[in-house]
């Protein structure tokens, strides 16, 4: 699994660790890990509508935070379940920029096997690590 | 779980960690609970209560209530008072779900009258009060109208036909915190919340039909004063908050305050989730105004749900809500910061009280509780797990030791993931039905995460609150119907 849920970090909530070879891939996996908390079968989300994610930040951790918040925003504001298949990260004058194309569909409890709602991405133990064998992110979500 | 060796018992169900336990602590930390409960606190509780004790302007103690467990920044169950000039305000001392709270509503029906209609009643409530991931409510508003809701809270509901004036009188802050300023909340927060009024949410949010069994009425005088007047009386209790709006307000200000905390105000960051700013600073005041908007959104949310409850009971029993005696007992907040007057070292002072997963529990005679409850103390509603029941308590004079704060629920002891491995949703529904509890849920896995075994024993939490003298039990309420997000 490119992401796993960590059992004992967050008793009342959900923590995950995502892994990928590249930082862009790490963002894709982390997005799926967040969405998978709310929807049991990610394959049930059909790519019927598209939304563009844009974010800027001074460091990679903050950029991931802003990116993950967008899934929560569209879930509440437009009742959309979204997945991202490609992320582009740029760097200009010390500022990181992110663009991602997300696709998905409106929540339909008849079609989507729903779990718990995610309220927020927390900063508790929030961490990105770049090691020789790839990138890892640890994230705790408020439920 | 390791209890720090420096932890000393100082009274029945009260324990203290000295300020010398961790560098930077300005005051000791006090923990409420019997030996059994305190020994089961997770390590994070001690660490986090100690971190809170390092914040500038904290008064007397950093508290943790008997249902305490690990949170973000403050522990859940954390209570702290701050001086208005020297002290801070912290979103981590309030929580992401601002004014998540409980409402208790009495009826004049008894169990035997409700039991034949129970499944229809619960099914109708489940249909009419949306719950679960991304659910939207029946009150259709434009974004601009929503700004009125967040500034006016339950008063907006009264103006728009979703409340009786008595409901407001029987709500903490009369359902509206003064000074809410919608210009201090982001457009994103509005977009996340404007269509969610009248929804339960998910996680540990629920609505229950409960019964006050004769043997569970511990204090008949207080029970009568609060409207529980007969054995087997049926009541409705629910737990929900400010939904996506409040979550976004908290998230926005966590970052705004984190940015200025050390850079502008020189406050050392121990834990990013403990981000804060001086209460009197522009950022501190902006957050306070925005937080009040989320508090008001939550009061409006629970008020609109009460309107739905009245409609459904009326439909199912073919009588008016008035004939069914549907009357709010009280509505309490959990996650807030409020200005209150307390006696500190012999002097009456106005301080900023953060309560995170804790209920205000004002004693008899105190201002700010409804006139009719003045001789008795404030009603305190403590929600237990969906299997084990909940409590109605009252505030007491000796609650001054915690700035009149007590527990708010059972407190989790098992992670959501472990609960899902241990319990199966479908089986749980069958088992609960066998025990006389009819359940409807938006998510069977979500239901499994909320199994009774995932929580502390509610009786032990209430017993500890009573032993310590921070609230007194009135009635235990047994669930017979439950809707869960």
């Amino acid at each position: 699994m490119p992401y796993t849920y960590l059992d004992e970090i967050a008793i009342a909530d959900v923590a995950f660790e995502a892994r990928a070879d590249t930082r862009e891939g790490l963002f894709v996996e982390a997005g799926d890990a967040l969405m998978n908390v709310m929807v049991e079968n990610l394959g049930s989300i059909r790519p019927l509508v598209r939304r563009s994610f844009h974010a800027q930040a001074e460091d990679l951790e903050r950029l991931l935070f802003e990116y993950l918040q967008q899934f929560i925003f569209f879930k509440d504001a437009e009742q959309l379940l979204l997945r991202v298949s490609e992320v582009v990260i740029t760097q200009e004058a010390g500022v990181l920029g992110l663009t991602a194309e997300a696709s998905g569909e409106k929540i339909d409890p008849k079609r989507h096997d729903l779990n718990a709602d995610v309220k927020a991405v927390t900063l508790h133990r929030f961490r990105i690590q770049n090691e020789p064998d790839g990138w890892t992110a640890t994230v705790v979500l408020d439920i | 779980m390791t209890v720090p060796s420096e932890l000393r018992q100082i009274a029945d169900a009260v324990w203290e960690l000295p300020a010398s336990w961790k560098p930077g602590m300005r005051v000791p930390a006090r923990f409420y609970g019997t030996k059994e409960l305190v020994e089961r606190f997770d390590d994070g509780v001690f660490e986090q209560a100690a971190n809170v004790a390092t914040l500038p302007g904290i008064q007397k103690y950093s508290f943790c209530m008997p249902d305490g467990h690990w949170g973000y920044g403050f522990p859940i169950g954390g209570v702290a008072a701050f001086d208005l000039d020297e002290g801070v305000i912290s979103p981590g001392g309030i929580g992401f779900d601002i004014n998540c709270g409980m409402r208790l509503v009495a009826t004049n029906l008894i169990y035997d009258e409700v039991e034949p209609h129970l499944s229809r009643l619960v099914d109708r409530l489940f249909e009419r009060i949306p719950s679960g991931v991304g659910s939207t409510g029946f009150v259709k508003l434009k974004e601009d109208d929503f700004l009125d809701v967040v500034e006016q809270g339950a008063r907006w509901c009264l103006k728009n036909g979703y409340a009786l004036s008595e409901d407001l009188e029987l709500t903490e802050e009369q359902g509206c915190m003064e000074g809410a300023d919608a210009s201090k909340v982001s457009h994103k927060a509005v977009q996340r919340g404007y269509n969610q009024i009248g929804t339960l949410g998910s996680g540990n949010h629920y609505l229950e039909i409960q019964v006050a069994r004769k043997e569970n009425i511990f204090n008949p005088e207080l029970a009568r004063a609060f409207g529980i007047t007969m054995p087997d009386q049926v009541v409705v209790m629910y737990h929900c908050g400010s939904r996506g709006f409040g979550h976004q307000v908290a998230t926005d200000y966590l970052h705004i305050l984190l940015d200025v905390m050390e850079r502008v105000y020189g406050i050392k960051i121990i834990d990013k989730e403990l981000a804060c700013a001086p209460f009197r600073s522009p950022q501190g005041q902006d957050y306070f105004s925005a937080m009040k908007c989320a508090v008001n959104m939550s009061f409006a949310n629970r008020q609109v749900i009460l309107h739905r409850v009245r409609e459904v009971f009326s439909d199912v029993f073919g009588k008016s809500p008035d004939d069914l005696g549907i009357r709010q007992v009280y509505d309490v907040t959990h996650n807030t910061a409020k200005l209150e007057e307390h006696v500190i070292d012999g002097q009456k002072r106005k301080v900023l009280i953060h309560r995170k997963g804790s209920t205000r529990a004002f004693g008899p005679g105190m201002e700010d509780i409804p006139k009719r409850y003045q001789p008795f103390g404030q009603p305190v509603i403590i929600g237990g797990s969906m299997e084990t029941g909940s409590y109605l308590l009252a505030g007491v004079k000796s609650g001054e030791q915690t700035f009149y704060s007590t527990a708010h629920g059972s407190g989790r002891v098992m992670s959501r993931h472990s609960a899902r491995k241990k319990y199966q949703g479908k089986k749980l529904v069958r088992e609960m039905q066998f025990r006389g509890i009819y359940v409807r849920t938006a998510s069977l896995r979500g239901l499994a995460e909320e199994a009774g075994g995932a929580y502390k024993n509610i009786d032990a939490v209430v017993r500890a609150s009573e032993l310590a003298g921070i609230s007194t039990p009135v009635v235990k309420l047994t669930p017979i119907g439950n809707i869960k997000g």
Side-chain angles (χ1 to χ4, degrees):
Chain A
M1 280 282 278
Y3 54 87
T4 49
Y5 295 102
L6 308 171
D7 210 12
E8 294 308 329
I9 283 194
I11 283 183
D13 296 301
V14 172
F16 69 80
E17 185 181 89
R19 286 179 301 280
D21 294 338
T22 63
R23 58 184 186 172
E24 287 80 2
L26 181 72
F27 276 55
V28 171
E29 296 305 337
D32 269 358
L34 182 149
M35 195 50 62
N36 206 178
V37 173
M38 299 195 279
V39 188
E40 188 65 13
N41 179 4
L42 291 180
S44 68
I45 303 173
R46 297 173 298 181
L48 302 181
V49 296
R50 297 173 76 85
R51 292 290 178 272
S52 295
F53 289 4
H54 299 282
Q56 281 194 331
E58 285 180 2
D59 63 68
L60 197 64
E61 287 183 354
R62 183 61 192 266
L63 195 69
L64 178 62
F65 179 92
E66 295 295 338
Y67 165 79
L68 291 175
Q69 276 291 135
Q70 306 217 14
F71 291 93
I72 300 174
F73 173 77
F74 283 109
K75 176 264 301 174
D76 280 336
E78 298 189 39
Q79 298 80 53
L80 291 176
L81 301 173
L82 296 170
R83 296 185 75 185
V84 165
S85 54
E86 200 182 347
V87 167
V88 176
I89 297 173
T90 56
Q91 186 156 14
E92 205 170 317
V95 176
L96 291 167
L98 172 143
T99 309
E101 289 301 318
S103 57
E105 62 175 321
K106 277 244 181 201
I107 296 170
D108 177 358
K110 291 192 188 76
R111 291 195 59 256
H112 302 122
D113 190 358
L114 299 170
N115 295 326
D117 204 1
V118 176
K119 289 177 181 170
V121 181
T122 79
L123 295 177
H124 189 82
R125 299 200 190 182
F126 194 100
R127 196 158 71 138
I128 294 178
Q129 284 174 287
N130 181 16
E131 286 170 346
D133 59 344
W135 292 78
T136 308
T138 310
V139 178
V140 180
L141 304 170
D142 193 50
I143 300 296
Chain B
M1 277 153 252
T2 328
V3 173
S5 57
E6 292 88 340
L7 190 74
R8 294 277 174 270
Q9 183 163 16
I10 55 162
D12 274 348
V14 188
W15 306 71
E16 186 171 304
L17 259 186
S20 57
W21 187 63
K22 188 174 188 175
M25 282 174 77
R26 296 164 193 259
V27 294
R30 283 199 170 177
F31 303 85
Y32 282 71
T34 53
K35 189 163 185 282
E36 294 71 33
L37 283 174
V38 169
E39 280 175 350
R40 290 194 74 187
F41 275 156
D42 42 298
D43 299 345
V45 167
F46 299 107
E47 200 63 43
Q48 291 184 327
N51 289 345
V52 172
T54 69
L55 293 176
I58 187 165
Q59 302 294 302
K60 302 302 286 182
Y61 305 101
S62 161
F63 293 104
C64 185
M65 298 295 116
D67 52 335
H69 62 90
W70 172 96
Y72 307 113
F74 278 49
I76 308 297
V79 176
F82 292 90
D83 181 81
L84 303 189
D85 297 317
E86 309 290 324
V88 295
I89 183 166
S90 171
I94 293 156
F96 283 101
D97 199 353
I98 298 167
N99 187 10
C100 177
M102 308 283 311
R103 187 170 289 211
L104 180 66
V105 180
T107 73
N108 63 14
L109 297 163
I110 59 165
Y111 176 73
D112 287 346
E113 294 169 300
V114 171
E115 197 275 334
H117 307 282
L118 184 63
S119 56
R120 199 165 140 238
L121 188 62
V122 173
D123 289 346
R124 290 283 285 154
L125 287 165
F126 185 69
E127 281 163 26
R128 304 279 281 174
I129 303 168
S131 61
V133 178
S135 53
T136 56
F138 77 97
V139 180
K140 299 295 174 207
L141 293 176
K142 294 198 175 74
E143 286 181 20
D144 280 355
D145 299 328
F146 182 70
L147 302 184
D148 292 337
V149 176
V150 304
E151 290 190 347
Q152 299 168 21
R155 284 182 207 159
W156 181 90
C157 300
L158 184 63
K159 274 190 245 168
N160 288 275
Y162 300 118
L164 307 177
S165 54
E166 188 190 64
D167 301 339
L168 274 61
E169 186 204 326
L170 296 168
T171 301
E172 197 169 316
E173 300 287 330
Q174 290 84 53
C176 177
M177 260 183 110
E178 297 293 341
D181 180 353
S183 73
K184 302 300 181 191
V185 302
S186 68
H187 184 225
K188 260 190 183 171
V190 173
Q191 287 175 292
R192 278 185 69 183
Y194 79 99
N195 56 16
Q196 292 187 329
I197 299 175
T199 61
L200 269 184
S202 83
N204 62 357
H205 293 166
Y206 63 87
L207 180 146
E208 271 185 0
I209 317 269
Q210 302 167 339
V211 177
R213 298 213 169 105
K214 192 180 176 187
E215 65 274 21
N216 289 334
I217 300 178
F218 309 117
N219 188 326
E221 189 203 348
L222 286 180
R224 209 173 307 114
F226 294 159
I228 310 297
T229 56
M230 51 192 176
D232 287 344
Q233 188 172 342
V234 169
V235 299
V236 179
M237 179 183 283
Y238 50 98
H239 177 221
C240 60
S242 47
R243 308 285 288 110
F245 176 71
H247 310 158
Q248 189 64 39
V249 168
T251 300
D252 290 342
Y253 278 92
L254 181 66
H255 286 284
I256 292 170
L257 270 52
L258 195 58
D259 181 47
V260 295
M261 180 178 177
E262 191 158 8
R263 188 172 57 81
V264 179
Y265 300 112
I267 304 169
K268 196 173 171 295
I269 299 168
I270 290 185
D271 170 358
K272 283 183 176 176
E273 287 285 341
L274 214 51
C276 64
F279 176 64
R280 300 250 193 238
S281 68
Q283 296 84 1
Q285 287 296 301
D286 284 355
Y287 173 58
F288 196 40
S289 298
M291 181 216 75
K292 288 172 177 177
C293 291
V295 167
N296 291 344
M297 153 63 185
S298 192
F299 282 137
N301 190 28
R302 290 197 291 274
Q303 184 58 49
V304 165
I305 290 175
L306 174 56
H307 178 78
R308 282 302 222 201
V309 167
R310 286 192 167 113
E311 283 182 349
V312 169
F313 269 75
S314 196
D315 278 1
V316 169
F317 291 97
K319 288 182 179 177
S320 73
D322 207 31
D323 287 339
L324 293 167
I326 298 178
R327 177 189 159 276
Q328 183 165 319
V329 173
Y330 203 55
D331 177 298
V332 295
T333 70
H334 291 157
N335 297 352
T336 59
K338 300 213 293 188
L339 292 172
E340 293 174 9
E341 277 195 343
H342 292 279
V343 177
I344 299 173
D345 296 331
Q347 285 197 319
K348 202 170 195 186
R349 285 172 51 198
K350 193 179 261 189
V351 286
L352 183 72
I353 308 278
H354 289 64
R355 292 190 184 92
K356 181 185 186 178
S358 165
T359 314
R360 189 192 73 175
F362 278 177
M366 290 180 72
E367 284 176 33
D368 294 329
I369 59 177
K371 268 205 182 85
R372 69 184 76 184
Y373 296 150
Q374 288 270 335
F376 310 102
Q378 176 208 308
V380 171
I381 305 157
I382 297 193
S385 80
M386 62 186 182
E387 294 188 76
T388 53
S390 299
Y391 277 85
L392 175 63
L393 299 88
V396 290
K397 170 77 176 73
S398 51
E400 61 193 353
Q401 62 184 302
T402 53
F403 301 114
Y404 295 98
S405 310
T406 189
H408 83 309
S410 314
R412 278 194 88 90
V413 282
M414 187 186 291
S415 74
R416 292 185 171 279
H417 194 234
S418 304
R420 272 169 67 162
K421 279 193 272 187
K422 187 163 179 184
Y423 305 102
Q424 289 174 302
K426 269 187 189 160
K427 197 170 162 218
L428 200 56
V429 169
R430 279 198 307 273
E431 285 171 0
M432 286 173 69
Q433 188 143 19
F434 183 72
R435 280 180 283 142
I437 311 169
Y438 179 72
V439 192
R440 288 295 306 270
T441 180
S443 165
L444 283 167
R445 270 181 299 276
L447 186 81
E449 292 177 5
E450 295 296 321
Y455 283 87
K456 289 183 192 179
N457 178 341
I458 183 80
D459 300 324
V461 168
V462 169
R463 196 162 51 248
S465 307
E466 187 184 20
L467 275 173
I470 53 175
S471 47
T472 186
V474 178
V475 185
K476 182 175 180 180
L477 299 158
T478 309
I480 56 169
N482 181 303
I483 68 172
K484 279 211 65 68

